[in-house]
Amino acid sequence: MSAPGGPPRRGRHASDDATGGVPASFWTGPGTPTAGEYPPGSPVRPGSGLIDRGDQTGPLVEPDWWSYGSTDHPDHPRTGGTDAHGFGRQHPSGPLPPMPVGIWDRLGPRAGSAGDDATVATARVGGRPDDGNDRDEEVLADSPASWEEQTGGLEVIGANVDEESPRRRGLRRPRRARTADVPPTAAIPAQPVLAEPPVAEAAGPLTDDEIPVVPYDSRHDRRRRRRRRRPFAILFALLVLGGIVGGIVLGGQKLLDLLDPSSRDYTGSGSGSIDIRVNQGDTLSDIARTLDGADVIASTGPFVSAAKSHPDATGIQPGVYTLRLKMSGESALELLLDPAARQVSRVTLREGLTVVQTLALIAEDTGTPLEELQAAAADPVALGLPAYANGMLEGFLFPATYDFEPDDTAVDMLSAMVVRAEQAFDALQVPEADRLTVLTKASIVQAEAAGTEDMAKVARVLENRLADGMPLQLDTTVNYANGKGGITTTAADRANPSPYNTYVHPGLPPGAISNPGEEALKAVLAPAEGDWRFFVVVNPDTGETRFARTGAEHQQNVLLFQQWLRENPEG
């Protein structure tokens, strides 16, 4: 409608009496609302007398329920349609301020809706009802959030999420739009209420950036859980990596063992105890096979490789070694080179000892009973004595250093010495037919010479006297025949008819009178050049020996020896 004579007005109700079609008593009577009493979004403009309420005009009759002040009274049920303010009834006399929206009004359908399935969007937080000012629309159009307005007021999930701004812990996001904030110009349809997780309320007001997005965005919780799990994840990754590396190593070792069984090797120095014998003449490969067969090492390859790189490995001596089971190849080699690991009884036989003296020394150093050694010496066949020895053991117990194992018998010990004597003859290339003669001469040279420098001269004296047919007349042979020691003889000693008495019998005795060494053998094989027929030690303390060509010269040397005897009566 328009006032007479004036331009038509849009969006406002006007009357000629400036009351807007409402009696003046309504605005001026008791209980007239003031500006501060109008609720936000009310169509009544305080002080203007104007009410924006759509296109409806004309006076209305006030119904009975109006004096109650609400449409929720049970005596006044809602009937009829819905007006522009969301009420089911309208004021009978004219536009009035809208009454508070009741619960049933908010749950009721909107007028003009197509059905119960129609959806009415709620207002965005911070928005305000349209007051008819187009300026707001222009501002909103240029606002960064104008796209939200273009959605029809629909709430956009995650619209206010700021991925780079931190969110406060323990905050519960308030609902963006509550029913009490909805202006009365929009009807609120019934919507299902989603239960929110019970979290602590913020201590103070929240800004839009601080409002946590729950349950639409859980990335903050995911990052927090990731940070909490990070140490455990790192530890788990390290364990997995260690397992993978260990598996690769073990798998590679297994594969290598399958491809090359000789490359298998134990780790560490082993455990337990086992005795291993290294035989005379064993090579490194022979030793490795012995160790492998006894489970000292896993295979021959690692031991042989370690032995080839060790300069002392070729010096491993025959004998019994105390090793351990399941040793690495390198550990087994180091133990074989350790003298403490070898179980031996070492016996050193010096040159010039007789069989009787030798047996006593062996018994003392090895703990073998002397009776066992004497019984073994009486059986030359068991000892492997050569036939040309004529059953005589003297001279065949070669002087050297011997290492005997705990399980070596008396026969084993004496047999080893006989073998060593034969090796010496072989090394000097002495014909077998001459060996007994050479051995006998060498035993006399060994007993008569005071030192190695005189051996070749003594050997020459023997050759010259034998060549001349002279008796040897050597005190050492007489003492052997009498079972004595020393450097002198008596008349009774020299009267002994033993074939070893060179005062009585010409030529050489039937066999050796001691066990000579290699130097004596060499002296016999290569005597010194000279025409000496006599010799005598004039000073036994220093070993000084005088050689003479004639008997008279020799007699002068004998006087020097007798003088020493007078000075040393105990000899």
Side-chain angles (χ1 to χ4, degrees):
M1 296 178 62
S2 60
R9 299 184 180 182
R10 301 183 60 183
R12 298 178 184 268
H13 297 280
S15 63
D16 295 338
D17 57 0
T19 61
V22 180
S25 61
F26 176 81
W27 299 108
T28 59
T32 302
T34 62
E37 296 179 359
Y38 291 99
S42 174
V44 179
R45 297 181 180 271
S48 62
L50 300 179
I51 300 178
D52 288 337
R53 45 173 298 184
D55 294 334
Q56 298 180 5
T57 60
L60 298 176
V61 179
E62 180 178 352
D64 295 337
W65 56 266
W66 183 262
S67 62
Y68 174 70
S70 174
T71 61
D72 294 334
H73 197 279
D75 296 335
H76 306 284
R78 176 174 178 168
T79 58
T82 302
D83 60 9
H85 301 289
F87 294 103
R89 292 180 297 271
Q90 61 184 5
H91 195 277
S93 62
L96 291 176
M99 301 305 295
V101 181
I103 296 176
W104 297 105
D105 296 328
R106 289 194 296 271
L107 298 179
R110 186 174 59 180
S113 61
D116 292 341
D117 295 334
T119 301
V120 177
T122 61
R124 186 172 66 89
V125 173
R128 55 178 180 153
D130 185 13
D131 57 359
N133 191 346
D134 296 336
R135 180 179 56 82
D136 294 337
E137 298 179 358
E138 296 175 359
V139 173
L140 293 176
D142 298 332
S143 173
S146 60
W147 61 275
E148 295 179 343
E149 302 298 339
Q150 297 175 6
T151 61
L154 292 177
E155 185 72 357
V156 179
I157 297 175
N160 64 332
V161 174
D162 187 0
E163 296 183 356
E164 297 181 356
S165 61
R167 287 185 289 271
R168 293 164 58 182
R169 297 183 179 180
L171 301 181
R172 180 168 62 91
R173 179 189 178 192
R175 292 186 179 90
R176 298 299 301 273
R178 299 184 184 274
T179 307
D181 298 333
V182 179
T185 56
I188 307 299
Q191 298 182 2
V193 179
L194 299 178
E196 297 183 1
V199 294
E201 290 288 343
L206 302 177
T207 63
D208 189 62
D209 292 337
E210 294 176 325
I211 296 177
V213 183
V214 178
Y216 304 108
D217 188 359
S218 60
R219 284 175 292 181
H220 174 69
D221 292 336
R222 288 199 301 269
R223 285 195 295 270
R224 183 171 57 189
R225 288 193 295 270
R226 283 198 298 268
R227 285 195 297 269
R228 188 182 302 114
R229 294 193 302 264
R230 186 171 302 167
F232 300 99
I234 293 175
L235 178 60
F236 179 75
L238 291 177
L239 292 176
V240 172
L241 181 60
I244 292 175
V245 172
I248 292 175
V249 173
L250 293 177
Q253 185 65 39
K254 294 293 185 181
L255 180 60
L256 184 61
D257 293 345
L258 292 175
L259 297 178
D260 186 10
S262 64
S263 65
R264 292 176 309 201
D265 195 11
Y266 293 126
T267 58
S269 57
S271 61
S273 177
I274 186 173
D275 293 339
I276 298 298
R277 176 180 290 276
V278 176
N279 298 315
Q280 185 72 33
D282 279 354
T283 64
L284 293 175
S285 297
D286 294 334
I287 297 173
R289 283 189 288 269
T290 301
L291 298 178
D292 185 16
D295 199 26
V296 174
I297 58 177
S299 63
T300 60
F303 176 84
V304 174
S305 298
K308 288 181 178 179
S309 60
H310 202 295
D312 296 335
T314 56
I316 297 176
Q317 297 297 319
V320 177
Y321 294 82
T322 301
L323 302 180
R324 293 181 287 271
L325 295 172
K326 298 186 184 303
M327 304 179 68
S328 66
E330 185 174 358
S331 297
L333 175 64
E334 292 177 355
L335 201 54
L336 285 173
L337 295 176
D338 185 0
R342 191 180 180 195
Q343 298 183 21
V344 295
S345 297
R346 179 162 291 186
V347 178
T348 299
L349 301 178
R350 61 180 179 85
E351 295 85 349
L353 295 178
T354 63
V355 170
V356 174
Q357 294 171 329
T358 301
L359 296 181
L361 182 60
I362 295 173
E364 179 181 356
D365 290 348
T366 64
T368 305
L370 182 59
E371 294 77 10
E372 292 183 10
L373 293 169
Q374 291 172 343
D379 188 359
V381 177
L383 300 180
L385 197 66
Y388 64 83
N390 298 325
M392 296 179 294
L393 186 59
E394 195 72 71
F396 287 92
L397 300 180
F398 193 81
T401 298
Y402 298 90
D403 291 330
F404 299 118
E405 287 78 20
D407 56 348
D408 285 345
T409 65
V411 173
D412 294 333
M413 297 178 190
L414 299 181
S415 298
M417 297 175 184
V418 172
V419 171
R420 181 66 182 85
E422 286 290 281
Q423 291 175 351
F425 284 129
D426 293 339
L428 295 174
Q429 298 180 355
V430 180
E432 186 173 332
D434 298 336
R435 288 185 178 183
L436 182 59
T437 301
V438 171
L439 181 62
T440 302
K441 291 180 180 180
S443 67
I444 296 174
V445 170
Q446 188 74 60
E448 291 288 346
T452 56
E453 64 276 3
D454 293 332
M455 286 182 178
K457 290 182 178 182
V458 173
R460 175 52 64 185
V461 171
L462 294 180
E463 295 296 333
N464 290 338
R465 292 177 73 94
L466 291 173
D468 293 344
M470 297 175 57
L472 295 179
Q473 296 181 338
L474 300 170
D475 291 340
T476 53
T477 61
V478 174
N479 287 334
Y480 182 80
N482 291 289
K484 292 174 57 177
I487 58 176
T488 61
T489 60
T490 65
D493 294 338
R494 290 188 294 271
N496 188 336
S498 170
Y500 287 90
N501 186 352
T502 57
Y503 278 91
V504 176
H505 302 284
L508 293 171
I513 63 172
S514 69
N515 293 286
E518 190 173 356
E519 294 297 328
L521 293 173
K522 290 180 179 179
V524 172
L525 295 175
E529 295 296 331
D531 54 356
W532 310 291
R533 300 296 191 273
F534 307 92
F535 68 91
V536 62
V537 178
V538 298
N539 189 342
D541 291 338
T542 61
E544 182 182 355
T545 303
R546 297 285 182 94
F547 293 87
R549 296 178 178 86
T550 64
E553 186 180 357
H554 175 63
Q555 207 50 42
Q556 293 297 322
N557 295 331
V558 171
L559 293 175
L560 295 175
F561 173 62
Q562 291 174 351
Q563 180 181 358
W564 183 88
L565 290 176
R566 289 191 296 268
E567 295 175 353
N568 300 276
E570 296 180 359

